[in-house]
Amino acid sequence: MTPTPQTLTAERILEATEEVLRRHGPAKATVVDVARALGVSHGSVYRHFSTKAALREAVTKRWLDRTSDSLSGIVAEDRDPEARLRDWFTALFAAKRRKAGDDPELFATYMVLTEESGGAVGEHLAELTGQLRRMVQAGVEAGTFSTDDPDATARALFHASRRFHDPRYAPEWEQPGTEAEFDAVVDLLLRGLKA
Amino acid sequence: MTPTPQTLTAERILEATEEVLRRHGPAKATVVDVARALGVSHGSVYRHFSTKAALREAVTKRWLDRTSDSLSGIVAEDRDPEARLRDWFTALFAAKRRKAGDDPELFATYMVLTEESGGAVGEHLAELTGQLRRMVQAGVEAGTFSTDDPDATARALFHASRRFHDPRYAPEWEQPGTEAEFDAVVDLLLRGLKA
DNA sequence: CAGCTGACAGATTTCAATATCTGTCAGCTG
DNA sequence: CAGCTGACAGATATTGAAATCTGTCAGCTG
């Protein structure tokens, strides 16, 4: 039952920053704007994030983590690894395409953010290939997949499917035939994985 | 034995434009510069290319065609389709990586040009997937490959390997481990293709 | 008279003056 | 005294006036 203007916390700053980015876009969002939205001076924001870049990277990390978290459910399921892999790719592509289609401006904002925060993106890519590796290993243990280096194979799967999750291809995702191309690539990859 | 200032031809304009682009970069290269380099008025250039965009697209087309032409030799060889495919991917990756590494500024210039000339790029992609399709079909006829739709498979091969020929990934091509990733992706794709 | 020139209008880019923002810190406040 | 404020210096962004460029075309030239 506490009212909104509680103590200033990193979490509240991140929420306000997301809102400011949504409203103003990445080029015009300033930390003065964020401070104003919170009713504090901009000096207070610097008490929690030492730099504007650090603040933006933290927002980026939250956004990327939301995607990995939603996919981790599929990885954890107790099912045929091939079906899980297929569903994982489908879910990743669908999530990205939905975000890009529903709110193109916000998507463009996060594209700018990811380009500038190399560290958070690197961690995100590592997390996703880690999820792939777990499913590949499950398939190898079940005898349906065959590979001598599950980690390298996981990275290969990730790179071979970039056309369908790398934001830079977003403009091509709505063109006719993309769905069929996605299916053809996934089919080819899963065939190559079979024992 | 004719001296340089011959009659003004589309070919000579294209050569001069390439030179101006190399010198000034895509942002500062003007058609006045091109005319000056040729010793004519800029009005004369417009007699051969109706628009600055058309001129730039023609330059782009020439550059893209040079790549496809160098690869068509591999397609035409009378050899095991699997070996040809592997060599084709290797040659494409090597050519792109060499261009990006040898003269990064010129490569950046052509990246800008390709982004603005959609038509020429579309044709180039169609040419490359056409080359892939011919090798896939040869493999199907030889009984070493299996697919119900060689054209869709060719496009899948192309998209699955974009990490290694799409210029947007050029900054990642020099990072250690890229070679191994390339091999892993090609191995996976060729495995998926086998009968 | 086929091909080139150069002046022109409107669009785009450049540049420098001005305004705003980032990051710091001495001091205020509850 | 922990946490916040607001003034400040240097860096970055905005703005609008001036310069340059694109595309056209009437007329020149060989």
Side-chain angles (χ1 to χ4, degrees):
Chain A
M1 292 301 183
T2 42
T4 310
Q6 311 159 309
T7 61
L8 189 59
T9 168
E11 183 63 21
R12 285 190 60 222
I13 293 174
L14 288 176
E15 275 161 24
T17 307
E18 277 189 343
E19 182 56 23
V20 168
L21 281 166
R22 192 189 312 273
R23 272 203 161 82
H24 296 46
K28 292 187 185 168
T30 74
V31 351
V32 172
D33 290 332
V34 174
R36 188 170 21 240
L38 289 162
V40 300
S41 92
H42 77 279
S44 301
V45 173
Y46 282 95
R47 183 157 297 281
H48 295 266
F49 296 93
S50 66
T51 261
K52 187 190 189 184
L55 174 57
R56 292 181 145 220
E57 179 147 4
V59 170
T60 308
K61 185 168 171 16
R62 263 162 61 106
W63 187 68
L64 295 173
D65 284 353
R66 265 176 246 152
T67 297
S68 347
D69 288 354
S70 81
L71 291 169
S72 66
I74 295 174
V75 179
E77 284 169 14
D78 189 17
R79 288 199 291 140
D80 172 27
E82 182 179 341
R84 269 188 286 159
L85 253 183
R86 193 180 287 275
D87 289 351
W88 189 92
F89 280 124
T90 305
L92 178 55
F93 183 32
K96 288 286 179 82
R97 196 160 58 160
R98 192 174 41 70
K99 276 180 193 164
D102 284 0
D103 192 340
E105 287 196 25
L106 185 61
F107 193 74
T109 292
Y110 277 110
M111 268 216 280
V112 172
L113 291 186
T114 52
E115 263 154 46
E116 68 193 31
S117 24
V121 173
E123 282 171 39
H124 182 240
L125 267 46
E127 167 63 23
L128 290 184
T129 55
Q131 293 189 6
L132 281 169
R133 195 204 62 239
R134 273 181 273 163
M135 290 184 285
V136 169
Q137 271 173 331
V140 169
E141 280 157 25
T144 52
F145 292 162
S146 131
T147 171
D148 53 350
D149 185 344
D151 198 59
T153 301
R155 283 202 304 273
L157 286 169
F158 183 77
H159 288 306
S161 57
R162 281 190 104 162
R163 157 81 234 258
F164 305 102
H165 48 74
D166 190 321
R168 285 175 285 190
Y169 292 106
E172 300 174 34
W173 291 342
E174 295 305 330
Q175 280 174 15
T178 300
E179 198 81 31
E181 271 170 8
F182 172 78
D183 289 338
V185 167
V186 173
D187 284 348
L188 191 62
L189 293 176
L190 291 180
R191 261 188 76 170
L193 219 47
K194 286 225 182 75
Chain B
M1 293 298 183
T2 43
T4 312
Q6 310 158 309
T7 61
L8 189 59
T9 168
E11 183 63 20
R12 285 190 61 223
I13 293 174
L14 288 177
E15 276 162 24
T17 307
E18 276 190 342
E19 181 56 23
V20 168
L21 281 165
R22 192 189 311 275
R23 272 203 161 82
H24 296 49
K28 291 187 186 168
T30 73
V31 352
V32 172
D33 289 332
V34 173
R36 188 170 23 238
L38 289 162
V40 299
S41 93
H42 77 279
S44 301
V45 173
Y46 280 96
R47 183 156 296 280
H48 296 267
F49 297 93
S50 66
T51 260
K52 186 191 189 184
L55 174 56
R56 292 182 145 220
E57 178 147 6
V59 169
T60 308
K61 185 169 172 15
R62 261 161 61 105
W63 187 69
L64 295 174
D65 284 352
R66 265 176 244 151
T67 297
S68 349
D69 290 352
S70 81
L71 290 169
S72 65
I74 295 174
V75 179
E77 284 169 13
D78 188 16
R79 288 198 294 139
D80 172 26
E82 181 178 341
R84 270 189 285 159
L85 254 184
R86 195 180 285 275
D87 289 352
W88 189 91
F89 280 123
T90 306
L92 179 56
F93 183 32
K96 288 287 180 79
R97 197 160 56 160
R98 192 174 40 69
K99 276 181 194 162
D102 285 0
D103 192 340
E105 285 196 27
L106 185 60
F107 192 75
T109 292
Y110 278 110
M111 268 217 279
V112 172
L113 291 186
T114 52
E115 264 154 46
E116 68 193 31
S117 20
V121 173
E123 283 171 38
H124 182 240
L125 267 45
E127 166 64 23
L128 290 184
T129 55
Q131 294 188 5
L132 281 169
R133 195 204 62 239
R134 274 181 273 162
M135 290 184 286
V136 169
Q137 271 172 331
V140 170
E141 280 157 25
T144 52
F145 293 161
S146 133
T147 171
D148 53 350
D149 185 345
D151 198 60
T153 302
R155 284 201 305 274
L157 286 169
F158 183 78
H159 287 306
S161 57
R162 281 191 103 163
R163 154 83 235 256
F164 305 102
H165 48 76
D166 190 320
R168 285 174 286 191
Y169 291 107
E172 300 174 33
W173 291 342
E174 295 305 331
Q175 280 174 15
T178 301
E179 198 81 31
E181 270 169 9
F182 172 78
D183 290 337
V185 167
V186 173
D187 285 348
L188 191 62
L189 293 176
L190 292 181
R191 262 189 76 172
L193 218 48
K194 286 225 182 74

